[in-house]
């Protein structure tokens, strides 16, 4: 279970819970054995011991949900009712002493039920416990004030733990909200840093592609035909960097430049969103793009990374005057589909 619940906070379904179960069972066993001569039926006392142990085991079992199951909670309430019925096994007169261990065991079970988040069930169980204890007091002919004495200390314990659990739950919710806000802040900063890094990388690649030409343009000297061709190639490279995204590796940009020198119209399009493919997929896309660029001699070559969720990572289409060729780059197994028109 999650550490954000009280059961997870106190590690009730881990080794601390098992230690509590062992101590609870040991204490009840000692009290039972020590008072067998004081109760009306030793068999009933042993049965109450088994019932209390079963309740503790049920409460400390791990659950799939962060909330303790309602059916299990009311099963614990029934166990508390059974332990309260053991009051009729106590002496009809005198102070019951350690023989009344079943009352404290019932309260401990209900306290754990509160920590498990089933406060209403716990108080229903305690109300039934009080009714049964007062019923035994009345049947045994004891003064009703003794019934108050028998339950008041346990009621105070349950109130304290109910208030404590409520305050602690609110505190844990506040801590969780602060942690979530911190995580969101860290995530937003990470995204901002990643975006800034991507912008710096693009600026550096644009500068590399057009730096010399910018110096020539700023020198106010006449442009030659070669300069004009270089400007067109630089403009195309910048467009590849901006629109090509993860497709625009150095090798792909170099192959695209060479293809354009052969009069091939090249388009790099990254429609895959902000997610980045893993290294193997990215490498296969780059290899397929470079191979297609090196083969192309004319026409229009469009290399497009597809949105997530498609069976293909990318498509490569070469359209010429005589035919159209398509190459799909699947996420796992390369497969070529060629259609001639």
């Amino acid at each position: 279970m999650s550490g954000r619940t009280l059961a997870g906070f106190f590690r009730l379904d881990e080794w601390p819970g098992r230690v509590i179960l062992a101590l609870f069972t040991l204490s009840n066993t000692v009290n039972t054995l020590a008072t067998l001569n004081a109760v009306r039926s030793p068999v009933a006392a042993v049965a109450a011991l088994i019932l209390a142990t079963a309740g503790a085991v049920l409460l400390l079992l791990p659950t799939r949900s962060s909330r303790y199951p309602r059916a299990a909670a009311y099963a614990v309430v029934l166990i508390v009712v059974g332990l309260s019925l053991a009051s009729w096994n106590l002496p009809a007169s005198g102070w019951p002493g350690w023989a009344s261990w079943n009352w404290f065991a019932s309260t401990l079970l209900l306290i754990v039920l509160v920590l498990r988040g089933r406060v209403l069930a716990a108080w229903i169980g305690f109300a039934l416990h009080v009714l049964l204890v007062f019923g035994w007091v009345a049947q045994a002919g004891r003064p009703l004030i003794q019934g108050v004495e028998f339950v008041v200390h346990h009621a105070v314990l349950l109130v304290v733990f109910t208030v404590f659990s409520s305050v602690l739950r609110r505190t844990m919710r506040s801590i969780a909200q602060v942690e979530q806000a911190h995580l969101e802040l860290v995530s937003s900063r990470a995204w901002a840093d990643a975006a800034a890094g991507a912008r710096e990388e693009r600026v550096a690649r644009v500068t590399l592609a057009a730096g010399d030409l910018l110096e020539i343009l700023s020198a106010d000297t006449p442009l030659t035909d070669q300069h004009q061709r270089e400007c067109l190639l630089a403009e195309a490279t910048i467009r590849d960097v901006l629109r090509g995204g993860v497709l625009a590796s150095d090798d792909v940009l170099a192959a695209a430049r060479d293809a354009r020198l052969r009069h091939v119209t090249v388009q790099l399009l990254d429609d895959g969103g902000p997610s980045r493919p893993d290294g193997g997929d990215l490498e296969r896309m780059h290899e397929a793009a470079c191979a297609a660029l090196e083969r192309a001699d004319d026409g229009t070559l469009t290399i497009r990374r597809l949105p997530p969720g498609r069976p293909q990572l990318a498509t490569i289409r070469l359209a010429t005057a005589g035919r159209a060729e398509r190459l799909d780059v699947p996420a796992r197994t390369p497969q070529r589909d060629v259609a001639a028109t």
Side-chain angles (χ1 to χ4, degrees):
M1 290 180 60
S2 170
R4 295 187 187 280
T5 64
L6 287 182
F9 180 80
F10 290 107
R11 300 170 67 185
L12 292 180
D13 41 9
E14 299 178 21
W15 69 265
R18 289 189 284 272
V19 171
I20 293 173
L21 172 61
L23 293 175
F24 177 79
T25 304
L26 177 62
S27 173
N28 293 338
T29 302
V30 170
N31 288 330
T32 300
L33 295 178
T35 58
L36 285 179
N37 295 329
V39 297
R40 295 183 175 185
S41 170
V43 174
V46 173
L49 172 63
I50 296 172
L51 201 60
T53 305
V57 171
L58 184 61
L59 278 169
L60 298 182
L61 286 177
T63 59
R64 295 181 180 179
S65 171
S66 61
R67 189 162 177 80
Y68 191 67
R70 182 180 286 106
Y74 284 101
V76 173
V77 170
L78 291 177
I79 288 174
V80 168
V81 169
L83 288 173
S84 301
L85 288 173
S87 302
W88 272 262
N89 195 38
L90 298 174
S93 61
W95 193 256
W98 293 110
S100 61
W101 63 265
N102 56 300
W103 296 343
F104 187 63
S106 298
T107 304
L108 285 180
L109 293 179
L110 295 174
I111 286 173
V112 177
L113 200 57
V114 167
L115 295 179
R116 282 287 198 179
R118 292 296 180 180
V119 179
L120 178 61
W123 278 101
I124 290 175
F126 190 73
L128 294 173
H129 168 72
V130 171
L131 288 175
L132 289 171
V133 170
F134 270 89
W136 168 71
V137 167
Q139 189 272 335
R142 291 172 174 266
L144 290 181
I145 189 64
Q146 284 192 359
V148 176
E149 293 173 350
F150 291 154
V151 301
V152 65
H153 301 296
H154 300 153
V156 170
L157 273 177
L158 195 58
V159 168
V160 168
F161 273 92
T162 300
V163 174
F164 167 75
S165 67
S166 176
V167 172
L168 189 55
R169 281 192 184 91
R170 285 199 296 268
T171 302
M172 292 174 68
R173 282 196 294 267
S174 299
I175 293 174
Q177 290 172 357
V178 171
E179 289 178 348
Q180 182 62 31
H182 176 70
L183 289 174
E184 291 175 356
L185 178 61
V186 170
S187 178
S188 64
R189 286 179 176 175
W191 275 105
D193 291 343
R199 285 194 299 269
E200 291 175 0
E201 181 182 356
R202 287 183 176 182
V203 169
R205 299 178 78 176
V206 167
T207 302
L208 181 63
D212 294 339
L213 291 173
L214 292 176
E215 292 181 3
I216 293 173
L217 291 173
S218 63
D220 198 22
T221 57
L223 296 178
T224 65
D225 292 342
Q226 179 63 25
H227 288 155
Q228 293 178 7
R229 285 193 295 272
E230 289 295 331
C231 285
L232 292 174
L233 290 172
E235 184 273 336
T237 300
I238 293 171
R239 187 172 62 250
D240 289 342
V241 171
L242 296 177
R243 300 180 62 188
V246 298
L247 293 172
S249 68
D250 292 339
D251 291 341
V252 172
L253 291 177
R257 177 185 172 88
D258 292 341
R260 289 186 175 107
L261 289 174
R262 299 192 300 272
H263 305 292
V264 179
T265 301
V266 178
Q267 292 182 334
L268 298 183
L269 303 173
D270 187 347
D271 295 330
S275 62
R276 186 178 181 86
D278 62 39
D281 288 340
L282 190 59
E283 183 179 355
R284 287 197 296 108
M285 281 195 293
H286 290 164
E287 290 177 353
C290 288
L293 287 165
E294 290 170 0
R295 289 195 307 268
D297 291 325
D298 60 354
T300 299
L301 183 63
T302 303
I303 303 172
R304 177 176 176 245
R305 179 190 171 205
L306 299 177
R310 303 288 183 86
Q312 298 85 19
L313 290 171
T315 59
I316 301 173
R317 291 184 174 89
L318 176 62
T320 62
R323 68 192 186 100
E325 181 179 331
R326 169 177 165 173
L327 172 68
D328 290 338
V329 183
R332 297 189 180 275
T333 305
Q335 178 180 352
R336 181 166 178 163
D337 178 16
V338 178
T341 60

